[in-house]
Amino acid sequence: MKAGVIEDPKIKKYLPWLGAIAIFMQALDATILNTGLPSIAKSLGESPLQMQSVIVSYTLTVALLIPLSGWLADRFGTKRIFILAVTLFTLGSLFCSLSRDLDELILSRVFQAIGGSMMVPVARLTLIYAYPKDQLLKVINFITIPALVGPMLGPTVGGFLVEKFSWHWIFLINLPVGLIAVLFASRVVPNFTNKVNKFDLWGWLLLSGGLTMITIVIERWDSPELTVFNLIGLGVFALLCILGYVYYAKRTSFPLIKLSLFKIDTLRVGLIGNIVTRLGIGGMPLMIPLLLQVGYGYSAFYAGLMMIPQALSNLVSRNFVVPIVNKYGYRNTLISNTILTGVLISMFFFIDKHTPYWVVVLLMICNGAFSAVQFTSMNTISLADLDNDTSSEGNSLLSVTQQLAISLGISVSAMFLLIFQKSGVGQGSEGVDVFRYTFLVMGVLTILSSYVFTRLEQEAGANMSGKRMYKQTKSA
């Protein structure tokens, strides 16, 4: 079936619900695991401070496979690929629950991520093909609601399942939802296809190789199996892969990522800002649940309940982003909010075992509010100056960058956490002190990252904020 507006009222009525289910599954999975990591670590005989690979393996795999998802959907049909995606995600969840050690769990998470990388992008692509432009915004707004609800429910649901049953149920809960989604999709999803060019396999291999090696260096720097020369070799290989892609992309007709996209000032700054800012902010979803459970000794369920105010703050604060940007502009908003967010993260350095819990909750609420402004502003400025010819590829590039930035942010925060633990800073144990110093480093990194947004012009993104039209790019 060629892409086009659908007329069947039954499909038009239920198709958005299927997109909502897909987004809810991924949003819930992204947060439900965080409060369960200490319990999983105990069960598998691992340190809770070295469990970040369970998250990084998923987000990195998703980042690497997102470019492939749209091509597969256009080539083989949205219905076939969506059903395949949900099936792989659900089977991966089952494999995760059956894992007997950390290596098996990481491999299962990679398998799960193969499905996750296609699930939401293909659902969104199906809706774009199925609805006219004047109805699409309403539909997209509807399916994003679960993405906001998931982070509120995830930590609490994860804590409840871990405490009342076992950590295995964090993954088993996906099975009935996945089964319903597959049965639903077989009846509702149209099998849209579209003409596509040959997939840029060499470009994908070069980029994937470079990004994977960078992540391994950050993740495995302390591994006894890797010497300093091994790490240097991996780093050099990563650099060669990325430089190789740049050389290759300039000489191929249909590259995986067009280098011309980086000539768009707002997109370039937004993408770089996403990466460098998340090196500090990106570790917070991992650090805070670990702080509450490992540092303060709270139960998984209680830690999950304490995460709700932060999620609510994030949800409510999104309503104020547009007025803030309209008044101060993207440049001033991003510079000041990045600095304030860094200062806030640094304030976690002053907490200790005797800090009242309401102080920690207050810091988390503020973190949720500043994060909402930060991420919404960075994402919208990235898309501000895209046109009909660049919007699809630019949006895909932003999605890849977000997932990659999340992966790097978690890896970097876990790396500093382990450095402070091994160096004997503070208590020299898995107590609050190692978290305090890690938060301090994360805060400083975030403050320094604000420099990226000074590269924005004063009127950048003004066409989105409603102030006045802004010229797309100075580049020829």
Side-chain angles (χ1 to χ4, degrees), residues 209-220:
L211 297 176
T212 302
M213 291 305 106
I214 291 172
T215 304
I216 289 176
V217 170
I218 298 174
E219 274 280 286
R220 300 297 182 184

Side-chain angles (χ1 to χ4, degrees), residues 249-398:
K250 289 179 178 179
R251 289 161 177 77
T252 188
S253 302
F254 302 103
L256 184 71
I257 296 174
K258 292 181 179 178
L259 300 181
S260 59
L261 289 172
F262 293 97
K263 294 181 180 180
I264 303 175
D265 294 337
T266 48
L267 177 62
R268 183 179 65 255
V269 174
L271 295 177
I272 296 174
N274 254 289
I275 291 177
V276 298
T277 302
R278 287 182 191 261
L279 291 179
I281 304 175
M284 295 298 281
L286 170 71
M287 292 290 295
I288 291 180
L290 285 178
L291 170 70
L292 296 176
Q293 294 181 73
V294 177
Y296 279 91
Y298 294 152
S299 69
F301 181 58
Y302 189 70
L305 288 176
M306 289 186 67
M307 297 292 290
I308 292 179
Q310 176 175 281
L312 280 172
S313 172
N314 188 285
L315 179 60
V316 172
S317 298
R318 291 174 185 268
N319 298 316
F320 299 98
V321 177
V322 173
I324 291 173
V325 171
N326 285 347
K327 183 173 182 179
Y328 299 106
Y330 277 100
R331 185 180 188 274
N332 294 335
T333 298
L334 282 167
I335 292 173
S336 57
N337 193 78
T338 304
I339 294 173
L340 289 173
T341 303
V343 171
L344 176 70
I345 295 174
S346 300
M347 290 178 67
F348 278 85
F349 174 76
F350 298 100
I351 64 175
D352 56 34
K353 284 278 190 180
H354 307 292
T355 302
Y357 76 92
W358 63 266
V359 174
V360 180
V361 172
L362 181 61
L363 288 174
M364 290 164 57
I365 290 173
C366 294
N367 179 63
F370 284 117
S371 295
V373 177
Q374 188 72 26
F375 296 140
T376 304
S377 300
M378 286 194 303
N379 295 342
T380 51
I381 192 61
S382 300
L383 305 175
D385 295 323
L386 300 182
D387 55 25
N388 290 336
D389 295 328
T390 57
S391 59
S392 177
E393 291 176 324
N395 186 51
S396 296
L397 182 56
L398 175 62

Side-chain angles (χ1 to χ4, degrees), residues 9 83 137 162 188 245-246 300 338 363 370 411 423 442 444:
I83 291 176
L137 180 60
V162 166
V188 173
Y245 177 79
V246 173
T338 304
L363 288 174
F370 284 117
S411 296
S423 64
M442 291 166 60
V444 172

Side-chain angles (χ1 to χ4, degrees), residues 405-436:
I406 292 171
S407 174
L408 291 176
I410 292 173
S411 296
V412 168
S413 63
M415 179 181 71
F416 282 110
L417 192 68
L418 197 58
I419 288 174
F420 289 128
Q421 182 195 17
K422 288 180 176 293
S423 64
V425 168
Q427 296 177 0
S429 65
E430 297 178 357
V432 174
D433 284 357
V434 291
F435 291 96
R436 292 173 57 235

Side-chain angles (χ1 to χ4, degrees), residues 30-70:
T31 54
I32 196 173
L33 184 61
N34 292 334
T35 48
L37 284 180
S39 296
I40 297 175
K42 183 178 180 180
S43 175
L44 300 181
E46 301 285 344
S47 167
L49 304 188
Q50 294 180 288
M51 292 294 290
Q52 74 280 357
S53 297
V54 178
I55 300 176
V56 172
S57 59
Y58 183 92
T59 54
L60 179 62
T61 304
V62 169
L64 298 180
L65 294 181
I66 283 177
L68 184 60
S69 63

Side-chain angles (χ1 to χ4, degrees), residues 457-471:
E457 294 190 9
Q458 197 65 42
E459 296 84 8
N463 56 331
M464 293 190 73
S465 64
K467 283 189 170 185
R468 64 185 183 83
M469 293 302 292
Y470 175 68
K471 187 181 290 186

